[in-house]
Structures are given as structure tokens and as C-alpha cells.
Amino acid sequence: MNSRERILGRVRRALADVPRDDAPYEQAVSRDYAREHGQRSVAQTVELLAENLADYRAIVHRTDADGLAGLIAGLLDKRGAASVLVPPGLDEGWLAATGVTRVADRAESTPAELDRVDSVVTACAVAIAETGTIVLDGSPDQGRRRITLVPDHHICVVRVPGQVVSSVPQGIERLDPARPLTWISGPSATSDIELDRVEGVHGPRTLEVVLVGQGRIEST
Amino acid sequence: MSGTYLGMPAFPEAAREAVGNTTLRGNLRHATHTIRAKRATAVAEVSDWAELREAGKRIKDHTLRHLDRYLVRLEESVTAAGGVVHWAADADEANEIVTQLVKMTGESEVVKVKSMATQEIGLNEALEAEGIRAYETDLAELIVQLGKDRPSHILVPAIHRNRGEIRDIFAREMSEWGRPAPEGLTDTPAELAEAARVHLREKFLRAKVGISGANFMVAETGTLVVVESEGNGRMCLTLPETLISVVGIEKIVPTWRDLEVFLQTLPRSSTAERMNPYTSTWTGTTGGDGPSTFHLVLLDNGRTDTLADEVGRQALRCIRCSACLNVCPVYERAGGHAYGSVYPGPIGAILSPQLRGTGSEIDASLPYASSLCGACYEVCPVAIDIPEVLVHLRERVVQGGEVTREGNKVVLRPAKGHAAERAAMRAARWAFTHPGALRTGQRTASRTRRFHPRTLPGPGRAWSGTRELPPVPAEPFRDWWQRTRGGKDGDR
Ligand code: SF4
């Protein structure tokens, strides 16, 4: 008998007390919890996202479609970035105002190469207001998981209000589990030393989130 | 479970030693009280906490009651997504599988994201014996590994170390393992974290094999989930070519949607955050993004034996948030090491003796490592009735009875006159000489309990002997406990 059969056999014997007509999943699991917490207008939800992002020490910026390229150029400039990682499907217009050297997100790049890049700019899949979370799903405008991990500076663009949901349940609903997902709430942090919070152990130490309002640029 | 630390004294002796260590007590007290206060705030923020807790409990209970079905389903979906599933009945088998998988890659070092399952089976030691070096990458685990120490808390394994101790460990040990600590390293947390970042980065960037656990596995989709803060998890899950995840079979949830419950309750219960900084999910392999080879090792190692116990199986609902540790008056004084396993605190007191059996002195004493105050139950986000299981396990230690070991039914003899009984008595005495541990909180006595001993348990005799109590009548244990405790220690 192999271990698979052995373990499954043990499980079945262990559950001899469970009746055959035990309540099915749909009935056994109650869903009385809230789909979202509290009532908010769309504008208030975006406001809450901004607040919670900032509370978790992400730097939040707001602009509209016309201001986006200038804002991103300014952020890279202020950071003194000499190179920026660019996912393949990123909107061309977003980087139109900056002359910083672009590095393509290529499967062949070694982690050491990525480590030499200063900043990365991506879009996101969804943002969750109640928890101050942005979620990346590896779509072409977000790139591979590692490009938002190795560089020390991440600029993430969120289209508001279209990409913003209130709550975790609403976020889960929008996401595709078949894709590799990265949920990000503030920059990398540790509280392992006497519970003092320190930003940035391994992930990017600076997370800047740009909320882009109405009249947005559609990605190509 | 091979997790008993060698030469480990039973809980009472270990606890007595820990209580005498004032640095440890100070570190622990500061830490547990800080997390405890923050957690209460984070929980108060969600109006539907009670409903989320109930949903979490029911999802896990339902899954456990049909675990065979969900395991098979998970295997199918992981395989369909490009992963390879292995089954390991015990620690040795799991270690053997992982060692072979690493050897097949031709590598002699691996990076690891903190995982209780791999600690439980002693994977690092097993790899070491085969010439493979495993680097722990969680900051606290790194502190523990460099300090040649053992973790003392589920979530913050180095909670027993203060910044000065950490500085000394880094300065002394880092060069042995790779990049040395910078000259003149001070004990500010920011500098210490920076030293760890630089030390570990060189390992991440060259790593070809990553080893992880998982917080959840979704049967429906084959998705695995790792919840973390530092980004070391993301490093281990995405940079290497090969990823090996070792996960206890109880970590399954049926559907993708179920995560909406646990991703709300876990961060708030554990680090008191609305959300932890990073959560990664992956479903098999994704071409060109992340590891090209993914192995999932499903671990039993005593879990099916635990499942066979109708009272005790609820311990398998645990999502390892560590909230119960932070509220436990016994843990706060004794520290994590006293529990003699990778699972300390209240959850350890019920999980370890079930995973390992109550044969050893430490395991037989663990059900007594509690004041039964009930605080652990109150905070548990999946509503595990830890006191109920503790009382149940005490009954088993003292009275014996039928249990399942390695899949077989065996009859346990009462531990009368046995080392276990002595351990239990000492534990009881320890608890009584530390009245603060008993005074904190009190469960309502109205709840009926299963524990109606036919004979008075060993500890009862011990107490009546040493505490000059009146003869103890045969009454429910809890009532008796409340009455005698209230009379002797006085509620102030
Ligand atoms: S028993 Fe409950 S409170 Fe304790 S670690 Fe597990 S889930 Fe958290």
C-alpha cells in the first residue's frame, strides 16, 4: 500500500462517526458575514483606500489622466532612479514624460540583473479599500511577480474608481485564482525585533500608489 | 512527530526554569501585551467578527469531516495546474521525499520561508545530514537559526530575544553563514533589519530551490496561499526554479471563496493588522513567471490520528494565528520553549499530545499546562474550544482509553503511578504556586463539560494532600476547580 492509500484510508476510518448524509458544503457553511463594512459612496470608498494605504505607510498620490505621465516622471526623478522596469503591456503614455532608462520584463533576466534596477512601474488588478491592499495578477500591464519584488521602489497605478472595491469578499470575487496573485498592503515590513515595525526587509522599501481619476487613459 | 526536542524536560520543570529567567519574562511580557492590545483594536474594527469566526469554524469543520474527498480533489487540481503531488505518512517519509527532490536538482542549498510543518518534521536537520544547507529567511527564523536556538512563538519565533541579544548574534554568527554583519552594527531595529536584508539577499539571488509551507490550499482550484510580511516569502516562492511546499493535510479549504473569510480573520488575529503586507497565491506553475517545477508534499504525521478523536479533532481547525499564545497567562510566564514542541502555548498544549501521543513525559504533562481560564477560546478566530480539549486529554492521560496511533486503534492504559501522572501533579503544583496564572479570567461554570471522572484524577489527590483541602467529592471537574481555586487563592 502506498502512502496515498494509507493516508486516505486513515482519514476514512477516522471519520467513521460522520453520517453519510452529512450536510453538504452549501448548507454546512454559513455566510452571515458582511459583504462590506458600512455604507459608503464611491468617492468615500476611494478616500478610504487612500487613507488605509497611507496608514500602512504607502505614499499615495492622486492625479487624472492628463497629469499621470508628469507625476510618474517626477516620482522617478525625485527618487534619483537611473533605470525603471517596465512590464510588456504597460500603457506607453504612462512613461512618456520620463527619460529614465527602461528595462524590459524578460523571462531570461536573472534576479541579479533585476536587483540592479532602481524602480518599477506597474498597473494593478484590483484595490481593496477596507484593508488598503493592491492586488497584482500578472497581467501584461503588471508583469512577472518578481519585478515588483526585487527593485527597492515600486510605483503602482490604480484606476479609480473602476479598480477599487470596498472589501476582501468583493476583491476575491473579482480575482482569477488560476493566475499567480500578489496582494500588497504597504511596503515590506517586519516586527520581529521587539515588535518595533521596520519597513523593508526583503521586498521594496518604498511603495508609491498613484490613484488616477476620471478621464483616464485606457491601456492599449 | 519527531518534534520533541532532545532532552526536553516536562513542562513544569521547563516552565520553572523559564519563570526564573527575568530577561525572557520581560521580553515576553512586553511582546504579548503589545500584540494583545493591538489585536483587540483590529478586531473591534470589523462589525461582523462573530459571523466571520463562525463561518471560519464551519468551513474548517466541514472540510475536516470530508477530508478524504477534498484531498483527492486538491490532488486533481494541483496536478491539472502543472504541479506534482506527494503523500507523506510521517516525518521520515516527508524528509525523504524532500531530500530526494532537492538532490534531483543537483543543488546543495535551499532557501526556506518560515514553515511550522517543516519545523515539525525536522526538515533542516534531515537536509543537513544529506549535505544540503537550508537557509531560513524570515528575520525571526534567521535570528533563531544563527543563535542555534529554538523558536518560542508561532508568529514571532524570536520573541524571547531583545535587540541587544540579536545584535550580538548577528555580529558573531553571520560570517559563518555568508555575508558578515557590517562593522560597528548597533542594536537599532532598522540597522539590524538592514543587516539581515543584505545577508539574505545574496542567498535569494542565487537560490535555485525554495521550500515553503502554506497557510491554505484550495481544493477546488489547486491554489496555495502564503501570508507574510517581509517579502522573504515572495522571494522563496518566485525566484527559485524549483518550489517544494510541505503542507499538513488539514490546511485545505474547499473553495476559492472561502479565502474571503480567512484573509479577514488571520491578519487581524495574528499581527493585529487589517491585512498583512504580502499574500502570495499560486496555482501549479505559470510559464515564465515563477518556479517552473512545483512539488506539493501532503503531510499526515499524526493528523489522521488527531482526526479520529471526535473531541480533539477540532484542533485541526487551527490557522496558526497565535492569538491564543498572546492571551495565555501560562505562556506569558513560561515562554514557548517550555512546551517542548514547535507548537507552543494553548494550541501546542492540545496539538502536540495528539500529534505525538501522550507516551512521553512532556506530552503527558502538556494538557496540564493551562489554567483553563478560557481566554484562548475567546480569541480563537476558528473557535477551537481549547479548554474542552485540554480537559478531554487530561482524562485520557489519567484514565486511559481507546486512541488511534498511526492509524491503528490502541488502548491506552491509565497513567497511574506512571511518569505522566507525576508530571501532571508537578504541573498542577506549579500552577498553584503561580496564582496569577490561575486568577486571570474565568470561564463560566455553567457550561456542561464532558469531564465527569469516575475516580478522582491524580492531580486532585496531589492537591488535596499539599493544599489541605477538604476531601474532594466526585463532582464535575470544573465546578470542583472553581470552588477550590476560589477558596484557596481568593478572588481579589
Ligand atoms: S488555536 Fe486558534 S487562536 Fe490559537 S493559533 Fe490556532 S487559530 Fe489561532
Side-chain angles (χ1 to χ4, degrees), chain B residues 213-482:
Chain B
N215 293 86
F216 306 99
M217 309 187 280
V218 181
E220 174 191 39
T221 59
T223 307
L224 270 78
V225 182
V226 162
V227 169
E228 48 123 9
S229 297
E230 297 173 5
N232 64 305
R234 293 180 64 192
M235 290 275 181
C236 295
L237 299 169
T238 53
L239 293 186
E241 291 160 8
T242 301
L243 172 62
I244 304 168
S245 301
V246 182
V247 190
I249 52 173
E250 82 284 16
K251 295 276 179 124
I252 302 195
V253 296
T255 71
W256 171 247
R257 186 181 170 190
D258 296 323
L259 293 177
E260 72 190 20
V261 173
F262 301 109
L263 290 181
Q264 293 191 78
T265 52
L266 177 57
R268 287 179 203 267
S269 286
S270 61
T271 48
E273 293 171 299
R274 290 184 198 109
M275 187 61 83
N276 49 288
Y278 295 131
T279 298
S280 300
T281 77
W282 70 100
T283 305
T285 54
T286 308
D289 184 359
S292 50
T293 308
F294 169 56
H295 296 277
L296 171 60
V297 181
L298 293 172
L299 178 70
D300 178 348
N301 204 35
R303 284 159 177 76
T304 50
D305 293 341
T306 309
L307 191 67
D309 187 314
E310 289 173 40
V311 178
R313 73 166 61 128
Q314 59 183 305
L316 298 175
R317 292 205 294 258
C318 177
I319 56 172
R320 314 272 189 265
C321 73
S322 75
C324 58
L325 278 62
N326 299 325
V327 296
C328 178
V330 176
Y331 172 84
E332 183 192 305
R333 286 162 180 81
H337 292 155
Y339 294 80
S341 90
V342 298
Y343 304 106
I347 181 61
I350 61 169
L351 196 56
S352 303
Q354 295 200 83
L355 292 177
R356 302 192 296 214
T358 47
S360 75
E361 199 171 331
I362 178 94
D363 286 317
S365 73
L366 282 176
Y368 293 87
S370 166
S371 64
L372 297 183
C373 75
C376 48
Y377 168 70
E378 301 300 331
V379 297
C380 178
V382 285
I384 299 172
D385 196 338
I386 295 176
E388 179 185 37
V389 182
L390 284 167
V391 171
H392 171 71
L393 293 175
R394 289 180 186 188
E395 181 183 34
R396 173 185 300 172
V397 167
V398 175
Q399 298 189 347
E402 197 174 71
V403 295
T404 305
R405 295 310 307 158
E406 294 178 18
N408 300 312
K409 290 244 191 302
V410 294
V411 177
L412 211 69
R413 291 227 308 267
K416 210 173 266 177
H418 183 266
E421 192 187 21
R422 291 198 303 277
M425 282 193 264
R426 281 198 300 268
R429 229 175 281 135
W430 176 81
F432 271 102
T433 52
H434 296 80
L438 290 168
R439 207 182 306 127
T440 316
Q442 200 173 38
R443 291 197 85 193
T444 44
S446 60
R447 301 188 53 163
T448 29
R449 292 281 148 208
R450 290 170 40 92
F451 193 64
H452 297 271
R454 287 181 299 278
T455 56
L456 282 172
R461 278 199 303 279
W463 294 336
S464 50
T466 55
R467 309 283 300 182
E468 295 169 1
L469 295 172
V472 186
E475 64 180 317
F477 179 81
R478 181 168 301 276
D479 296 355
W480 170 81
W481 175 282
Q482 299 278 2

